[in-house]
Amino acid sequence: MIVEAYGAHAGEKPLEPMEIIRRAPGAHDVQIDIAYCGVCHSDIHQVRSEWPGTLYPCVPGHEIVGRVSAVGAHVVDFQVDDLVGIGCIVDSCQNCEECDVGLENYCDGMVGTYNGPTPDAPGHTLGGYSQQIVVHERYVLRIRHPEAQLAAVAPLLCAGITTYSPLRHWKTGPGKKVGIVGIGGLGHIGIKLAHAMGAHVVAFTTSESKREAAKALGADEAVVSRNADEMAAHAKSFDFILNTVAAPHDLDAFVVLLKRDGAMTLVGAPATPHPSPNVMNLILKRRSIAGSAIGGIPETQEMLDFCAERGIVSDIEMIRADEINEAYERMINGDVKYRFVIDNASLTAL
Ligand code: NAP
Ligand code: ZN
């Protein structure tokens, strides 16, 4: 089926309306009419070729929510009209040590929701800045939030799981002091989740204007990371720091805030490398710097249910599809509180 979408024909070109083709649902497929799609900083990195390997046309978007409009003959868990979500994964090998334990995000054959290999035209996957998507049932998530919150649920499909998974893996909970660095789309949800898990949460921001906002999101304390005295007051005190910053910066400034055996996990994926961290800061207190990629499908469902039970959603600003280029510029300037979400109904009118 031909559907309306918004994407780019080259890295240096703005996004524009385009028509794309979606396959007819196969036996195990779920066809979803997309209601809303969140705008992740990864969309910018990818569509602008800041990361290597972007294929064009590129239709970004991997924070997808909507309603099931058709199911294949063998689909049993989903029905027409169900509220569902699609995150960053639409396929994987389904037969490796990662897929076997629900860590499809670490499968070497993971297919991303956009820019991944597929037999469908045009040979690579096209994402959620579009009216409809067709996905194998294994990668479809159930949404249990009230429908009125649907748009604000969309960012949980990437920003939510990307922060939930490392917070769980590094055992965030009561008695733990946890830092969240960068209060953007990922970081603001990271604050809400770490707070809900019972940790003492400290937000690190470069923006003085976000200091009070971070506390309103659930942080116990907020530190402006450009202020050396404020940073020094937290030396050697953190169990865990989650770093979501989308640009290269001095990692040592945060490593020295970790206790013995503390870890800082990087989820921000800047286009150019960070300056190399000082090894002595790691050695002398057995600290680690780690990385983490989104999360597997079972854990994504667990995160959605955790958020539904506690009423956790993203703080969003809704936009029309034709406002996306302006939204990207505002994100790069840190001017969003805290996630843009496209109203996909606006694609119909193009
Ligand atoms: P975002 O909404 O643009 O937020 C990034 C935040 O980082 C900004 O709001 C800002 O927070 C801080 N920041 C930006 N530039 C900075 C600079 N030059 N120096 C210091 N701080 C800066 O981005 P996002 O959607 O949250 O994504 C963040 C990063 O995570 C991106 O690189 C994205 O590609 C990556 N990501 C990774 C995964 C994964 O699986 N690992 C998944 C999704 C996204 P303050 O104003 O508070 O300083
Ligand atoms: Zn993302």
Side-chain angles (χ1 to χ4, degrees):
M1 187 192 296
I2 295 175
V3 304
E4 303 296 330
Y6 228 83
H9 288 286
E12 63 287 355
K13 292 216 170 125
L15 276 69
E16 57 182 277
M18 55 176 68
E19 291 187 336
I20 61 170
I21 299 170
R22 295 300 189 189
R23 67 175 182 259
H28 285 281
D29 281 340
V30 177
Q31 176 183 292
I32 299 153
D33 290 347
I34 303 175
Y36 304 102
C37 184
V39 181
C40 178
H41 208 110
S42 301
D43 299 351
I44 304 179
H45 292 313
Q46 190 88 66
V47 78
R48 295 191 171 176
S49 279
E50 293 174 4
W51 294 340
T54 305
L55 302 165
Y56 295 93
C58 176
V59 175
H62 57 206
E63 294 183 336
I64 298 168
V65 292
R67 243 178 223 292
V68 174
S69 50
V71 293
H74 293 171
V75 173
V76 286
D77 287 342
F78 296 99
Q79 294 176 345
V80 169
D81 261 358
D82 284 353
L83 284 182
V84 295
I86 300 294
C88 306
I89 309 173
V90 291
D91 206 355
S92 63
C93 85
Q94 306 189 15
N95 184 29
C96 70
E97 61 178 327
E98 314 296 2
C99 289
D100 287 350
V101 294
L103 290 174
E104 301 89 347
N105 49 320
Y106 296 116
C107 168
D108 290 336
M110 186 199 103
V111 177
T113 302
Y114 56 86
N115 207 54
T118 174
D120 300 347
H124 58 271
T125 51
L126 302 168
Y129 300 0
S130 58
Q131 290 177 306
Q132 193 189 79
I133 193 164
V134 178
V135 179
H136 187 286
E137 58 182 331
R138 176 177 176 141
Y139 308 95
V140 180
L141 287 311
R142 188 167 295 285
I143 290 169
R144 299 191 166 90
H145 287 76
E147 187 175 357
Q149 293 182 323
L150 192 59
V153 168
L156 299 179
L157 274 302
C158 174
I161 185 59
T162 302
T163 49
Y164 183 90
S165 185
L167 287 169
R168 281 288 190 225
H169 185 77
W170 276 275
K171 302 194 169 22
T172 296
K176 296 287 177 73
K177 183 171 173 182
V178 171
I180 306 288
V181 187
I183 312 307
L186 268 58
H188 95 285
I189 294 177
I191 291 174
K192 294 185 186 201
L193 292 174
H195 174 72
M197 290 174 192
H200 181 89
V201 184
V202 181
F204 292 93
T205 178
T206 57
S207 316
E208 181 66 49
S209 65
K210 292 186 191 168
R211 190 194 288 275
E212 290 312 311
K215 291 188 194 160
L217 291 167
D220 297 284
E221 302 176 62
V223 170
V224 174
S225 53
R226 298 189 201 279
N227 183 328
D229 291 342
E230 275 186 67
M231 293 290 276
H234 289 274
K236 294 182 270 187
S237 67
F238 282 88
D239 297 282
F240 181 61
I241 296 177
L242 184 63
N243 189 326
T244 76
V245 173
H249 61 281
D250 173 22
L251 299 179
D252 289 326
F254 298 101
V255 171
V256 298
L257 306 187
L258 294 169
K259 290 182 183 170
R260 169 178 48 81
D261 290 333
M264 173 161 75
T265 293
L266 308 177
V267 289
T272 50
H274 297 292
S276 177
N278 180 328
V279 176
M280 280 303 171
N281 286 335
L282 301 172
I283 291 174
L284 294 177
K285 292 237 177 273
R286 201 163 54 188
R287 295 161 168 142
S288 25
I289 297 178
S292 183
I294 46 175
I297 297 299
E299 196 176 38
T300 305
Q301 187 64 63
E302 177 188 308
M303 175 277 308
L304 283 169
D305 295 346
F306 177 93
C307 290
E309 280 160 24
R310 290 161 182 78
I312 296 173
V313 291
S314 175
D315 290 19
I316 64 164
E317 181 176 336
M318 190 99 77
I319 58 166
R320 296 189 314 270
D322 60 6
E323 293 173 310
I324 188 66
N325 295 300
E326 187 192 332
Y328 281 0
E329 292 311 316
R330 286 184 52 196
M331 280 169 76
I332 288 162
N333 293 324
D335 175 23
V336 50
K337 289 199 170 73
Y338 285 88
R339 199 58 139 185
F340 289 114
V341 171
I342 297 171
D343 178 357
N344 288 46
S346 64
L347 286 162
T348 316
L350 295 172

